[in-house]
Amino acid sequence: VLAAKSQQNKKAEWTFCLVNNGDKSSTITLKAPSGGAVKFNRYLNSKESSPKNPDGMPISVGVIEGDLGVGVSVTCPSHAIVILSTIE
């Protein structure tokens, strides 16, 4: 898991990148000491699914909401990359 936090307009923005090279899906819980409510856009890249817009840029496949102080559960399919970002 790779995580990055930035401050934009005095608001914390988060981006997480999960990579699963395994043969089974994996669920993890993301937590951050500063916590707080988040709304992540979820992007997926795998052999089965890599949605893109007409310009070839990835498009969100869904939204995950939760509190990073409590923990946000995220599932990454096998042989896939999941990116979660609060940045629109």
Side-chain angles (χ1 to χ4, degrees), residues 2-21:
L2 174 66
K5 178 183 176 185
S6 69
Q7 293 291 124
Q8 293 185 3
N9 301 323
K10 298 184 180 182
K11 178 184 172 195
E13 299 285 2
W14 289 94
T15 299
F16 290 89
C17 178
L18 292 70
V19 178
N20 182 358
N21 287 320

Side-chain angles (χ1 to χ4, degrees), residues 44-67:
L44 175 65
N45 187 334
S46 70
K47 282 194 252 183
E48 292 80 28
S49 180
S50 296
K52 295 176 178 58
N53 70 16
D55 294 325
M57 297 298 294
I59 58 173
S60 175
V61 296
V63 172
I64 297 175
E65 295 185 61
D67 186 324

Side-chain angles (χ1 to χ4, degrees), residues 24-36:
K24 296 180 181 178
S25 67
S26 181
T27 300
I28 65 167
T29 301
L30 301 173
K31 290 178 98 174
S34 57

